[in-house]
Amino acid sequence: MFVFVCAGCGAELTAPLSQVALPVHAHQKYGNGIQLPVLMEPGTFAVETEPWGPPWRRWAELDPGEAEARGVFAPVHALSDNAPGAVVIAPGEAHGTVLLPENRGSRYCCGLDGAGGPNMGCGACGRPVATRIDDCSLWQAVWLDPTAVRHLRVEGADEPPLSWEELMAGTSTPPFEPVTSWGYPPTGEKWAATWSPQWEAAAGHALAHLLVASQRQAVTVPDGLTAEVFRRALDALLPPGPPTRHADLAGPGLPAPEADADILLVPAHPQTGQMWSPGGPAASAHRVPLPFGIWKFLAFPEPYLPRPTSGRLPVGVVRDDYPPAPPRHHYPFRVDSGTFRSTLARLPAARTPWLREILDNPTARRQAAVF
């Protein structure tokens, strides 16, 4: 565990925090005017290994070969010239800081968007140390400036990462969640249970890897929710088979993958970010990572039981299903386009002509109606 302190005066800026993997939806922009919750779980932090935040340079301003040297293999809107290593935490974990009202940002709508750089200062010395983001359609977070803070280890508080077996005892991430526009309470006609933004971002990240693993052949996926998430996109972006490649779910608690599985959808460890590895013949299959909570729901779906199936509640038991969950929207699942593009552009295979065509032809992507 670590505590982050001001690099100028040494004042503590956070509670003790444990490192976890950076969520795949960390930089997601979702919808328009939507209230998104806090990005990070309490007591955790994650590190963005790439430069992130202003100043930005557009793709046309980059020197030849500069993007590839930074691990970007296809055009993106812009790249950051900020220092790598920004640390993201939940806003409630920031201590001893003050808001810098003169630097709220230049394009904010309902809150702070961080476009103008650090907007939080050290409460002891005033040094700008972090950027708070809580604008609509953005995940709420505080990003610590890697040049303005340093971390101190909390002695005696280290714990090893959870094993896969221990993770399996935890909860999964449901595919639907309440989403509301800014300024409306989470009830009434402006509130609906819709596809989870986390799922849409995770699907965008996984789809980029699936296309690379496909080798431009049709890909089949298991029926059910996995097919609902991926099949439309794969059918729209890949030529019809045969030949075909077969993708299967694999991971802790599941039987050994089928012998003909060319691609495995596997969980990524939420603390270390490492993908689960199969043994035996399946070890040579191409692995595609999914956030653990989403993978677990795909592998072990949880039925929604809005009310007891029969009988009456015991005396003294209070109902916890009121108001009832709103009806699920019945529109098809859509992949988060921004996460998909960002992920694919950072895979070396993005230099191949057919993948570049997918990235460079937004009209075709819109016509596919999968984003």
Side-chain angles (χ1 to χ4, degrees):
M1 299 190 74
F2 298 91
V3 168
F4 290 86
V5 302
C6 175
C9 68
E12 290 191 4
L13 302 176
T14 72
L17 305 172
S18 298
Q19 185 169 3
V20 297
L22 184 71
V24 298
H25 55 283
H27 302 301
Q28 180 186 28
K29 180 175 175 61
Y30 183 81
N32 181 28
I34 302 298
Q35 290 188 37
L36 290 181
V38 174
L39 174 67
M40 301 299 296
E41 293 291 332
T44 67
F45 75 94
V47 177
E48 172 57 87
T49 56
E50 285 192 30
W52 193 261
W56 298 89
R57 277 193 297 156
R58 294 183 180 274
W59 182 261
E61 300 170 350
L62 301 176
D63 298 329
E66 182 180 357
E68 285 203 11
R70 294 174 55 172
V72 181
F73 304 97
V76 294
H77 177 68
L79 286 179
S80 170
D81 271 346
N82 204 356
V87 174
V88 62
I89 63 175
E93 300 294 354
H95 300 173
T97 59
V98 294
L99 193 65
L100 303 177
E102 69 277 6
N103 192 9
R104 291 188 62 198
S106 58
R107 298 186 300 275
Y108 60 89
C109 177
C110 301
L112 305 174
D113 69 352
N119 53 28
M120 296 175 66
C122 171
C125 68
R127 177 188 180 113
V129 292
T131 301
R132 174 155 185 167
I133 295 178
D134 56 17
D135 203 1
C136 57
S137 298
L138 301 175
W139 290 88
Q140 299 181 45
V142 167
W143 292 83
L144 302 176
D145 185 341
T147 67
V149 302
R150 53 192 178 90
H151 61 275
L152 301 177
R153 184 180 293 275
V154 178
E155 298 297 336
D158 289 343
E159 294 183 1
L162 297 175
S163 66
W164 291 111
E165 291 73 19
E166 290 171 323
L167 287 172
M168 289 298 293
T171 59
S172 56
T173 304
F176 300 97
E177 63 181 87
V179 172
T180 185
S181 298
W182 193 268
Y184 289 93
T187 57
E189 63 181 10
K190 292 292 183 179
W191 178 66
T194 185
W195 288 105
S196 165
Q198 293 186 54
W199 275 66
E200 294 184 6
H205 185 263
L207 179 61
H209 288 273
L210 278 167
L211 291 181
V212 172
S214 75
Q215 301 176 7
R216 209 184 183 189
Q217 298 176 17
V219 173
T220 64
V221 295
D223 292 333
L225 185 57
T226 305
E228 195 170 359
V229 170
F230 292 110
R231 185 170 290 165
R232 290 178 60 249
L234 292 170
D235 289 348
L237 299 175
L238 292 172
T244 60
R245 292 172 67 79
H246 176 53
D248 199 6
L249 287 164
L254 287 178
E258 297 180 10
D260 63 344
D262 309 289
I263 305 167
L264 299 180
L265 295 161
V266 301
H269 197 288
Q271 293 171 296
T272 67
Q274 296 179 347
M275 287 188 287
W276 180 86
S277 298
S284 60
H286 191 119
R287 290 177 297 159
V288 170
L290 286 169
F292 181 82
I294 292 174
W295 171 89
K296 185 181 177 187
F297 200 102
L298 287 173
F300 305 97
E302 298 178 6
Y304 172 61
L305 299 176
R307 58 184 59 86
T309 56
S310 63
R312 303 179 61 181
L313 291 175
V315 176
V317 174
V318 180
R319 291 178 65 97
D320 62 356
D321 60 343
Y322 184 84
R328 159 185 165 176
H329 277 301
H330 292 287
Y331 58 81
F333 182 88
R334 288 178 178 262
V335 174
D336 185 75
S337 177
T339 307
F340 168 76
R341 288 180 53 82
S342 176
T343 303
L344 185 55
R346 286 160 174 79
L347 298 176
R351 293 173 292 196
T352 57
W354 73 277
L355 288 172
R356 280 295 299 271
E357 173 65 19
I358 292 175
L359 284 171
D360 296 343
N361 191 345
T363 301
R365 292 199 306 274
R366 284 194 295 270
Q367 290 175 345
V370 297
F371 295 103

